[in-house]
Amino acid sequence: MEKMRLAIVGAGPAGIYAADLLIKAERDFEVEIDLFEQLPAPYGLVRYGVSPDHPRIKGIITALREVLDRGDIRYFGNVRYGTDISLGDLKKHYHAVIFSTGAIRDASLGIPGIEAEGSYGAADFVSWFDGHPDVPRTWPLEAEQVAVIGNGNVALDTSRMLIKHADDLLPTEIPANVYEGLKANPIQELHLFGRRGPKYVKFTPLELRELGEVRDVDMVVDERDFDVDDAYADETLAKNKQVIVMSRIMDKWRQEQREREAGEIEPASRRLHFHFWSKPVEVVTEGGRVTGLKIERTAPDGNGGAVDTGEFEVVPVQSLYRAIGYFGSPLDEIPFDDRRGVIPNDAGRVLDASGEPLHGVYATGWIKRGPVGLIGHTKSDAMETLESLMEDRGTWWTPEDPSVEAIPALLSEREVPYTTIEGWHRLDEHELGLGEAEGRTRIKVVPRDEMTRIARGE
């Protein structure tokens, strides 16, 4: 029986699912899979893109861990593609490669002043509060009034982490430096902006409900946003169960707001303002720093979109976060679509500049399709790529040295301090031990060199 050696670059859910599905697939050849990850720990955005106060979402890690712990997939952590290992190396030692490097950059927002001091990408903030080893250990939390642009779950996570009292995060795996930073956060008001109405939000009901349960924070809505005549939403979205649930949540907030205004409820120390039908058009600055966000009121266009009204407002803020989506990063020697932030492909087959398949090179996950979809989409996406891979058997690379010993020898020769799945177990146990000592589930180790040293048992 023929044996195939496959490299997968990226050990988040997309890469791990691709490896697992290929192992379990019906095939008439043996397969050996090596998984490469630039960080010392696996799991990608499940570890570094999910808020620490969402431990149940991190339960996905349990399923991913079971795949890696079976022993039929090798893991090489702390190995950077393009630096520690090249496309030429992969061609020399494998029959094909699948890139599953995800999307971790923020999508851009082309409005005046967006580059001012105090303007940030939400993805960078998420990386900071999730203890990503490649971002600075401190974050400039200095503003009393903050804006978040976006109406998806990342915007909601960003808002919740900014407005939540730091002590309420202590039961989570939040790193010590993040707790100290959030503890000193002087925020009093957060303003969340979306260019369409409340029925068009991309939040999930669970996320929205959790936001309203944050201690000592009032949810503030603008009644103007709920009095908009929107026949499309009334007809098209009226029976959508998620929309119905979220409308009920916001109606509850509206009632609580009326009771606060009547003096029946004591106000909280912090407030989160929702601004719907609000399109950011300019970041107002003074001396190069953010001082406000200029928005234009929008109105329904009758087809589920929004049109400009020419009515402008300025909301005073001293910092802002854009949470309008993630964006992929280019990879050495691999074609890249700069407009969409993905690797150009056809059913997972990477395409060259002329639109022809680049034999032996495949993509899956967000770097393939863009930053949309949940775990279910990731699995079906991986299956499509694997079907293409198996159909292309006649065009796989012919490796010069496909031996299993070649990659560890190559990395050792280059003095790359790579980590293994056994090393991840050591780091995992160490973090759990740090948490247990303080009555918490886990405390993340943040510095890359410390993570690597622990994982390698040094």
Side-chain angles (χ1 to χ4, degrees):
M1 180 181 286
E2 182 183 354
K3 180 180 290 186
M4 181 211 193
R5 291 205 15 92
L6 174 69
I8 298 179
V9 178
I16 294 175
Y17 285 137
D20 184 43
L21 289 169
L22 183 57
I23 291 286
K24 295 176 178 176
E26 288 188 21
R27 46 187 165 75
D28 60 353
F29 57 89
E30 294 181 12
V31 64
E32 293 175 344
I33 301 175
D34 286 347
L35 197 60
F36 294 92
E37 169 58 48
Q38 66 169 343
L39 296 172
Y43 311 137
L45 280 181
V46 180
R47 178 173 165 95
Y48 289 114
V50 177
S51 298
D53 58 348
H54 275 170
R56 68 183 171 282
I57 297 178
K58 288 179 181 288
I60 297 167
I61 286 180
T62 301
L64 300 178
R65 176 169 183 148
E66 288 175 358
V67 175
L68 294 185
D69 283 358
R70 285 200 313 253
D72 50 14
I73 300 165
R74 285 200 305 182
Y75 168 78
F76 294 93
N78 204 37
V79 178
R80 292 181 171 95
Y81 171 79
T83 301
D84 300 320
I85 197 164
S86 68
L87 185 62
D89 296 325
L90 298 179
K91 286 182 176 180
K92 182 177 180 181
H93 300 293
Y94 298 93
H95 293 89
V97 60
I98 297 176
F99 287 97
S100 57
T101 49
I104 60 171
R105 290 189 296 162
D106 285 284
S108 61
L109 179 63
I111 62 174
I114 195 65
E115 300 299 331
E117 188 176 352
S119 174
Y120 312 104
D124 292 335
F125 180 61
V126 172
S127 291
W128 173 74
F129 69 60
D130 260 333
H132 195 292
D134 296 338
V135 300
R137 299 294 302 279
T138 59
W139 190 271
L141 295 165
E142 302 162 347
E144 293 184 353
Q145 298 163 304
V146 179
V148 175
I149 301 170
N151 266 183
N153 279 345
V154 174
L156 224 56
D157 281 350
T158 299
S159 300
R160 194 180 63 257
M161 290 297 291
L162 283 165
I163 203 72
K164 199 169 189 175
H165 292 277
D167 285 351
D168 294 337
L169 290 164
L170 275 177
T172 74
E173 62 183 41
I174 187 171
N177 65 298
V178 176
Y179 168 74
E180 294 299 332
L182 292 173
K183 182 73 173 173
N185 184 9
I187 189 170
Q188 294 181 3
E189 295 184 297
L190 187 143
H191 299 269
L192 182 61
F193 295 89
R195 65 181 182 85
R196 294 190 296 173
K199 292 183 179 178
Y200 297 94
V201 297
K202 299 298 183 182
F203 315 137
T204 56
L206 182 60
E207 291 261 1
L208 192 65
R209 182 182 291 111
E210 284 182 343
L211 184 64
E213 294 171 352
V214 173
R215 182 182 64 84
D216 194 30
V217 177
D218 286 334
M219 301 295 120
V220 182
V221 293
D222 188 335
E223 286 296 330
R224 292 180 303 169
D225 296 336
F226 296 86
D227 293 336
V228 174
D229 183 14
D230 186 358
Y232 177 89
D234 292 341
E235 294 172 7
T236 309
L237 303 176
K239 296 181 181 179
N240 183 295
K241 290 183 179 179
Q242 288 201 334
V243 173
I244 292 170
V245 172
M246 288 191 284
S247 294
R248 288 173 180 165
I249 293 169
M250 287 188 246
D251 285 344
K252 177 175 176 286
W253 294 347
R254 294 166 70 187
Q255 177 60 33
E256 290 173 349
Q257 185 168 306
R258 288 190 286 268
E259 293 172 1
R260 276 197 307 275
E261 291 170 351
E264 298 171 16
I265 298 178
E266 285 293 320
S269 68
R270 292 178 174 179
R271 291 163 297 283
L272 196 157
H273 301 258
F274 286 82
H275 300 265
F276 299 111
W277 303 113
S278 299
K279 172 187 170 184
V281 294
E282 180 184 354
V283 179
V284 181
T285 64
E286 184 177 318
R289 288 193 59 87
V290 174
T291 59
L293 181 65
K294 184 177 182 180
I295 60 104
E296 181 175 8
R297 293 285 296 178
T298 59
D301 67 358
N303 296 304
V307 294
D308 301 340
T309 66
E311 179 185 339
F312 297 93
E313 301 173 13
V314 174
V315 178
V317 295
Q318 298 84 50
S319 73
L320 69 86
Y321 296 76
R322 66 184 189 279
I324 56 172
Y326 286 100
F327 202 77
S329 302
L331 297 158
D332 280 8
E333 302 183 79
I334 302 299
F336 188 72
D337 184 335
D338 292 301
R339 184 180 61 84
R340 296 181 56 224
V342 298
I343 295 174
N345 70 91
D346 178 16
R349 297 179 178 93
V350 174
L351 305 177
D352 64 19
S354 64
E356 294 298 314
L358 199 60
H359 296 315
V361 185
Y362 300 84
T364 192
W366 282 4
I367 198 64
K368 168 190 174 184
R369 70 179 189 274
V372 292
L374 303 174
I375 291 298
H377 298 88
T378 301
K379 289 183 177 179
S380 59
D381 187 52
M383 184 56 74
E384 179 187 59
T385 295
L386 293 175
E387 288 172 356
S388 296
L389 172 74
M390 290 189 281
E391 287 174 8
D392 297 345
R393 190 165 171 176
T395 63
W396 292 346
W397 300 328
T398 304
E400 179 184 328
D401 179 8
S403 66
V404 294
E405 301 86 4
I407 292 300
L410 176 68
L411 295 176
S412 296
E413 179 185 336
R414 293 178 180 173
E415 298 183 340
V416 178
Y418 68 88
T419 61
T420 63
I421 197 61
E422 293 78 18
W424 158 240
H425 290 164
R426 278 192 288 270
L427 176 59
D428 184 39
E429 290 168 6
H430 180 84
E431 291 182 340
L432 292 172
L434 292 177
E436 184 179 4
E438 296 192 18
R440 298 163 60 187
T441 303
R442 173 193 304 270
I443 298 177
K444 276 184 184 171
V445 175
V446 179
R448 178 185 282 266
D449 57 352
E450 186 179 353
M451 292 176 68
T452 304
R453 178 180 54 78
I454 294 167
R456 291 171 62 86
E458 297 173 352

